[in-house]
Amino acid sequence: MQTTLRGVGVSHGVAIGEVRHMGTAVLEPPAKQIPAEEAEREQGRARQAVEAVAADLIARGNLAGGEAQHVLEAQAMMAQDPELMADVDRRIAVGSTAERGVYDAFASYRALLAGAGEYLAGRVADLDDVRNRIVARLLGVPMPGVPDSDEPYVLIARDLAPADTALLDPALVLGFVTEEGGPTSHSAILARALGVPAVVALPGAGELAEGTVVAVDGSTGEIFIEPSAEKRAEMEASAAARKAALSASTGPGATSDGHKVPLLANVGGPGDVPAAVEAGAEGVGLFRTEFLFLDDSKQAPSEEKQVAAYRAVLEAFPEGRVVVRVLDAGADKPLEFLTPADEPNPALGVRGLRSLLDHPDVLNTQLTALSKAAEGLPVHLEVMAPMVADRADAKAFADACRAAGLQAKFGAMVEIPSAALRARSVLKEVEFLSLGTNDLAQYTFAADRQVGAVSRLQDPWQPALLDLVAFSAEAARAEGKSCGVCGEAASDPLLACVLTGLGVTSLSMGAASIPYVRATLAKHTLAQCERAASAARAADSAEEARVAAQAVLSGE
């Protein structure tokens, strides 16, 4: 009998195939003591293993490119963290083997992350993966990772580390399902970039027997176990229809009655630009500049290096709109030269614009570099600040932009509920708003965006979140200014229609989602989108909101 499970759909598409499980994690190494004279040799073994794993991660990143490259480079930096290595050396010096020293040092650091209000829990999976790779190399056992198979399959895992997700072969891995993670986790973001159907936050997924046939719907989050022939045919027909609609949909984003909704791309650097251009992005709605800074956490990149990176992106969109977010450091993106090391809860501390206002030289250098990068180009440059809380923040940022001589529009990201509730006040100082729905949901519901256990509160369909989007869009309309969405919410085609109905003026997403959103918008009028938005806001839960909007848009 066919059984249906439901997780969180994070990457569109349908996958039907046999289950294969992720390789088991490395076993805990034995806690045996070594003689003092062997300590130096063991320390050398540990360093060699760390360097080899870091080099492998960087090589995987170079192969993958784009967003995956940035994530894997950050993992390599994690492996080589000097404080972690110093702890490994100390443990070996008092008698631990290399593998045990690594295991215990990483466990200690893991506990620190969990104790920091769990905001950094999204990096725990990355940390565990680095540890497992180093320990596996030291023990001489196979690396944890994707199973070997000659036939295509659906991958099941507790969670997927970026190093594994980045190099999945879509010809073999039809789709994947994880027990943990959330819609904004690294595995979800990379799945969308790869175009692999994926469902996350499905408790008990690991209990599915090897070889079981499952059908995965990455849009709805449904998993059908041993699907009937009728269900297979229905899902395959739906997938074929969706593919045909994508091929037929081209040009700028708009509703069926001609209401324009520019579809922009989220990028992390020049490596993400080709996919955005190929998908028909009308510009960039979120240029995450922090990846440039994470290359070296000890010092800010030079003005010259910044100019080169920014110009490479700006040149790709002549006459287009490019919205740059200035450095968003802190919390899960700490930088030694910028962010405090001893904050009890980094998520609620000095991050984003707060860090930059404490270090005006870093902000001024970045704004100056952006100004120089745009010189002589016909691009429409817009620059926005992350984590704006109120009008005072918005004014401080706008003043800094003017002081740097930046010829661009200045905007504010709405990621803190106070900015949404007082959006009209914020707009007295800046020219546009951009809603970062990932963080806005996190702060609205006190729900860490990386923790699978609270993923229902990270669902962008939550009516309370839609209310905050509506407040922001209404304020922007009243002030005659624009209000876009650059969070992952924009990548959901159905929700994109609702956001349009709420008054959002542009949508920015990962490049792979643009064709889906374009095709769906083109099937509905603005009035339908507005009715769907009203129905969603009238609901009492995310699931009810989704069903209500779907009913309106399907004419039920």
Side-chain angles (χ1 to χ4, degrees):
M1 178 184 292
Q2 175 183 294
T3 303
T4 305
L5 304 175
R6 183 184 286 276
V8 178
V10 295
S11 183
H12 306 297
V14 167
I16 303 174
E18 292 188 0
V19 162
R20 294 285 182 274
H21 285 270
M22 195 74 172
T24 55
V26 176
L27 296 175
E28 181 178 347
K32 65 180 183 181
Q33 291 290 108
I34 60 168
E37 59 269 20
E38 293 183 15
E40 188 174 344
R41 179 178 67 85
E42 289 295 290
Q43 288 169 339
R45 285 182 63 227
R47 282 191 291 273
Q48 287 175 0
V50 165
E51 292 304 321
V53 166
D56 178 61
L57 290 168
I58 289 171
R60 285 169 177 255
N62 290 338
L63 281 173
E67 182 110 33
Q69 182 172 7
H70 303 306
V71 172
L72 293 177
E73 286 173 351
Q75 262 198 301
M77 289 173 60
M78 185 183 287
Q80 297 169 304
D81 183 272
E83 289 188 16
L84 256 176
M85 282 311 302
D87 192 15
V88 171
D89 282 343
R90 281 193 297 270
R91 293 172 187 275
I92 294 173
V94 295
S96 289
T97 60
E99 44 267 41
R100 188 70 207 191
V102 167
Y103 187 91
D104 289 341
F106 272 75
S108 177
Y109 190 49
R110 194 182 199 278
L112 285 175
L113 295 187
E118 290 198 44
Y119 186 82
L120 302 181
R123 298 299 169 265
V124 166
D126 297 5
L127 186 71
D128 287 348
D129 181 59
V130 171
R131 176 204 64 201
N132 290 346
R133 290 175 185 278
I134 297 171
V135 172
R137 184 171 287 276
L138 287 165
L139 291 174
V141 300
M143 290 284 176
V146 235
D148 289 327
S149 176
D150 295 329
E151 297 297 323
Y153 59 90
V154 174
L155 180 63
I156 307 290
R158 182 181 64 80
D159 202 351
L160 278 173
D164 296 314
T165 315
L167 295 183
L168 289 180
D169 181 355
L172 280 177
V173 181
L174 302 171
F176 69 75
V177 180
T178 66
E179 294 193 55
E180 299 184 359
T184 60
S185 63
H186 276 154
S187 54
I189 292 170
L190 293 178
R192 286 189 284 272
L194 287 166
V196 176
V199 172
V200 301
L202 180 66
E207 296 171 15
L208 290 169
E210 191 87 359
T212 302
V213 175
V214 296
V216 178
D217 189 325
S219 299
T220 66
E222 292 174 303
I223 310 293
F224 302 94
I225 303 170
E226 298 294 352
S228 64
E230 292 78 11
K231 173 55 71 173
R232 288 195 193 201
E234 176 191 325
M235 294 181 73
E236 287 169 349
S238 174
R242 188 180 296 155
K243 186 175 181 181
L246 293 180
S247 300
S249 177
T250 58
T255 58
S256 62
D257 55 342
H259 175 72
K260 293 183 179 180
V261 187
L263 302 181
L264 313 171
N266 294 343
V267 305
D272 295 335
V273 167
V277 172
E278 185 179 351
E282 297 168 59
V284 171
L286 173 61
F287 181 0
R288 303 183 183 95
T289 59
E290 59 268 19
F291 289 117
L292 184 62
F293 287 76
L294 289 170
D295 285 345
D296 183 354
S297 67
K298 298 187 188 319
Q299 61 181 6
S302 67
E303 182 181 299
E304 292 73 20
K305 183 176 181 179
Q306 291 188 55
V307 170
Y310 303 150
R311 194 169 181 89
V313 174
L314 296 176
E315 287 177 335
F317 295 96
E319 305 293 342
R321 177 186 179 200
V322 176
V323 184
V324 179
R325 179 177 70 191
V326 293
L327 176 61
D328 183 15
D332 61 340
K333 293 169 285 191
L335 294 171
E336 288 183 33
F337 67 89
L338 196 66
T339 48
D342 56 352
E343 285 188 301
N345 190 341
L348 302 178
V350 183
R351 65 166 292 197
L353 179 61
R354 298 168 187 173
S355 293
L356 293 174
L357 294 178
D358 282 349
H359 297 80
D361 54 325
V362 175
L363 177 58
N364 183 66
T365 298
Q366 184 171 26
L367 295 174
T368 301
L370 283 165
S371 181
K372 290 182 178 180
E375 285 178 3
L377 296 180
V379 69
H380 300 288
L381 175 63
E382 301 184 13
V383 182
M384 61 185 181
M387 302 300 292
V388 169
D390 55 16
R391 181 173 179 175
D393 278 351
K395 183 179 187 306
F397 178 66
D399 287 346
C401 290
R402 282 188 284 267
L406 187 61
Q407 299 298 309
K409 284 188 176 181
F410 317 142
M413 289 200 71
V414 177
E415 301 162 285
I416 301 174
S418 61
L421 295 170
R422 300 287 295 169
R424 196 157 183 181
S425 173
V426 170
L427 282 164
K428 299 296 184 184
E429 304 293 342
V430 294
E431 298 172 83
F432 69 93
L433 299 178
S434 184
L435 289 138
T437 52
N438 307 345
D439 269 321
L440 185 57
Q442 173 169 253
Y443 290 118
T444 299
F445 298 104
D448 191 325
R449 57 190 278 191
Q450 300 291 348
V451 177
V454 293
S455 62
R456 78 172 186 86
L457 296 171
Q458 267 294 326
D459 192 326
W461 281 95
Q462 286 284 357
L465 186 65
L466 298 180
D467 285 345
L468 293 176
V469 173
F471 295 159
S472 303
E474 288 164 7
R477 182 165 53 246
E479 293 293 323
K481 295 178 180 179
S482 63
C483 176
V485 168
C486 63
E488 290 299 318
S491 65
D492 178 337
L494 182 62
L495 186 50
C497 293
V498 168
L499 295 173
T500 298
L502 291 173
V504 166
T505 55
S506 66
L507 299 166
S508 189
M509 64 210 76
S513 298
I514 291 175
Y516 290 92
V517 172
R518 182 192 294 120
T520 305
L521 275 175
K523 292 191 291 188
H524 304 290
T525 65
L526 176 59
Q528 287 177 308
C529 292
E530 289 171 342
R531 288 196 297 274
S534 296
R537 287 184 70 188
D540 290 320
S541 71
E543 182 57 27
E544 289 176 11
R546 185 184 289 107
V547 170
Q550 179 68 69
V552 171
L553 293 175
S554 60
E556 295 177 7

